[in-house]
Amino acid sequence: MKKQIILLFAFVSLAINLYAQQTEQTPAGTYTNSAESMLNSNGKLNIGGYGEVHYNQPISKDQRELGTIDVHRMVMFLGYNFTKRTSFVSEIEFEYAKELWVEQAFLQHKLNNFINFRAGLMLVPMGIVNEYHEPTTFNGVERPIIDNRISLTTWREIGAGFSGTISPVSARYQLYVMNGLNGYDTKGIFTGAGGLREGRQKGSKAFIHSPSFAGRVEYYGIRSLNIGLSAYTGKSQSRLFSKLHNDSTALIARADSSVIGISMLGADARYQFGALELRGQFYLTSFSNVLEYNAFTASKGKNNDLGNSMVGYYVEAGYNVLSFCKETSQQLIPFVRYEFYNTHNSVEGDMAKNPAYKNTMITTGLTYKLNPNAVIKADMQFSKNDSDKEYKKVFNAGIGVMF
């Protein structure tokens, strides 16, 4: 994986040298999130944001279920352009009307038309939704489930690296060195049921003993089609490496047992032809040192069952039925999304695959865009794992804004 990232960086550097004298243009066929809009702004002080309010109602034929109503997210973006080349972007988020997080806080300096240097708290460039998670950018009240269980949306870590657009070859790239996921902090963090999600350090007193690498390339050279490839590789972090002497062989072996190697690959595609919208994502994550990790964390009073690999994907189709009404710019998009994920895609040793970790979800509903930045949503979700006899049903509704 590290060799692939080095080769990717070499390719990017070569392309930059070949086309360095050409002028960068805003590329057609690419997508823009809130942070990128602020970076492209000509103003000094930039303010933006997004928010979403959700209603989730489980439906059961055997019993009554309580629904939940929640201000799921309220986010403010603050940015400042010091010069045409140097900018700062921050994202401050309230979740569930009470939790406060800093989701982004990075400095960007434009070296030339093709290279931007970035450093700070940044989104890990994995898949579509982790970077484009504003509620007006995706169908469905809730984000796709694989962007929670396999990828870790919203996944952000502290790091530094390079990003840019190479217009002559219709490509965008990102390449970062970042701190890794927390795999052991007085106890084992990763499990078969939860995967890696609880290991996000989120820039909050994060600790590190070995770096991780993340990269992404998007190609938009085919009309209406955007194709992305993402990669992440590194080792999980462990507090057992704190103040560990290099000659402490037994303690080093103990600390090594609390660490796993992580390699994640992602592929995604977005296609829009007239009123038709198609998109899909695929993730494959593999681990090393799993047997040792499970045995070590189990010895600390926890029966761990992390698998050797996880897989997840979805495909989605939507159609704007108001496209025939030339008098309106509003959109009404019926859509359907099929998702699958398995956190026990493969296991090691004598561990048996848990059928509850193999899941299917079907989401179908309506997205009503009053304008590109204000949306009303409603959908039904049907979910089932291999140990369920029938699908569980949830009705969702919500509003979302982006500005």
Side-chain angles (χ1 to χ4, degrees):
M1 183 70 71
K2 292 182 180 179
K3 291 182 179 179
Q4 293 172 331
I5 293 177
I6 292 172
L7 290 173
L8 172 61
F9 186 75
F11 165 77
V12 170
S13 300
L14 177 61
I16 290 169
N17 289 330
L18 289 173
Y19 298 106
Q21 302 302 317
Q22 301 192 35
T23 302
E24 181 184 35
Q25 299 178 351
T26 302
T30 61
Y31 295 81
T32 302
N33 59 23
S34 298
E36 291 167 337
S37 296
M38 298 180 74
L39 290 169
N40 294 332
S41 171
N42 293 322
K44 281 287 187 181
L45 178 64
N46 297 295
I47 299 175
Y50 69 88
E52 48 191 333
V53 179
H54 293 175
Y55 168 56
N56 309 106
Q57 178 62 64
I59 298 173
S60 173
K61 63 181 180 180
D62 300 321
Q63 60 187 14
R64 295 186 180 183
E65 300 280 358
L66 284 176
T68 58
I69 300 177
D70 181 36
V71 181
H72 202 150
R73 298 176 181 90
M74 186 62 219
V75 180
M76 294 300 297
F77 283 87
L78 293 174
Y80 193 82
N81 293 328
F82 300 99
T83 67
K84 290 183 178 180
R85 290 182 176 269
T86 306
S87 303
F88 176 75
V89 170
S90 67
E91 179 182 354
I92 302 169
E93 175 168 332
F94 281 93
E95 289 188 314
Y96 316 115
K98 63 178 181 179
E99 295 181 9
L100 178 63
W101 290 98
V102 177
E103 291 216 340
Q104 295 187 77
F106 66 86
L107 184 69
Q108 174 170 296
H109 180 70
K110 182 177 181 180
L111 300 175
N112 60 36
N113 286 336
F114 299 94
I115 306 177
N116 301 306
F117 173 75
R118 286 185 180 181
L121 180 63
M122 302 179 292
L123 300 176
V124 178
M126 179 59 63
I128 300 172
V129 174
N130 199 51
E131 293 193 278
Y132 303 93
H133 51 254
E134 295 86 348
T136 58
T137 63
F138 61 89
N139 291 316
V141 176
E142 303 293 342
R143 297 168 181 176
I145 189 66
I146 66 168
D147 288 299
N148 178 287
R149 302 300 175 86
I150 307 299
S151 184
L152 311 174
T153 304
T154 303
W155 188 8
R156 68 272 191 191
E157 304 291 351
I158 293 174
F162 301 94
S163 67
T165 300
I166 310 174
S167 299
V169 293
S170 303
R172 303 171 72 184
Y173 71 92
Q174 298 179 72
L175 186 61
Y176 304 129
V177 179
M178 315 186 88
N179 70 270
L181 296 166
N182 171 17
Y184 188 88
D185 186 359
T186 72
K187 62 180 180 180
I189 304 298
F190 306 138
T191 65
L196 304 176
R197 186 167 184 80
E198 295 304 315
R200 296 174 301 164
Q201 299 203 65
K202 307 177 184 180
S204 177
K205 296 184 178 180
F207 60 94
I208 182 172
H209 60 76
S210 63
S212 295
F213 302 88
R216 177 172 170 82
V217 174
E218 291 181 36
Y219 177 71
Y220 56 90
I222 301 174
R223 184 179 180 182
S224 303
L225 179 65
N226 185 291
I227 301 172
L229 295 174
S230 308
Y232 174 91
T233 184
K235 292 183 178 180
S236 63
Q237 311 301 297
S238 170
R239 288 199 182 275
L240 294 181
F241 283 95
S242 177
K243 299 180 181 179
L244 186 60
H245 293 288
N246 292 330
D247 57 355
S248 302
T249 305
L251 293 178
I252 290 175
R254 178 173 177 265
D256 285 339
S257 296
S258 68
V259 170
I260 64 169
I262 304 169
S263 297
M264 182 183 296
L265 292 173
D268 56 81
R270 286 166 285 184
Y271 179 73
Q272 186 161 0
F273 183 75
L276 177 65
E277 301 175 359
L278 302 174
R279 65 167 56 189
Q281 290 192 139
F282 173 84
Y283 296 116
L284 176 63
T285 306
S286 61
F287 308 121
S288 60
N289 205 48
V290 172
L291 284 176
E292 293 83 353
Y293 180 84
N294 283 339
F296 181 80
T297 54
S299 71
K300 297 301 178 182
K302 186 174 184 179
N303 184 19
N304 210 345
D305 61 347
L306 182 67
N308 194 46
S309 69
M310 305 187 302
V311 68
Y313 64 87
Y314 79 74
V315 290
E316 176 185 303
Y319 191 88
N320 176 25
V321 297
L322 297 183
S323 61
F324 303 105
C325 302
K326 304 302 182 181
E327 297 80 10
T328 181
S329 60
Q330 296 181 355
Q331 298 182 47
L332 180 63
I333 305 171
F335 75 94
V336 61
R337 180 169 65 234
Y338 176 87
E339 299 183 71
F340 171 85
Y341 73 92
N342 187 359
T343 57
H344 265 185
N345 180 58
S346 62
V347 297
E348 284 196 67
D350 57 359
M351 182 189 301
K353 292 184 178 181
N354 191 328
Y357 299 167
K358 186 177 182 180
N359 290 262
T360 299
M361 177 176 284
I362 300 171
T363 305
T364 183
L366 294 171
T367 299
Y368 180 33
K369 292 189 176 182
L370 303 173
N371 60 59
N373 296 317
V375 64
I376 300 172
K377 301 179 180 182
D379 63 60
M380 284 288 297
Q381 288 187 317
F382 306 85
S383 60
K384 184 178 181 294
N385 63 49
D386 270 15
S387 62
D388 291 330
K389 294 182 179 180
E390 58 184 29
Y391 281 94
K392 300 172 184 176
K393 296 181 282 293
V394 178
F395 171 75
N396 305 298
I399 62 169
V401 296
M402 171 183 173
F403 56 89

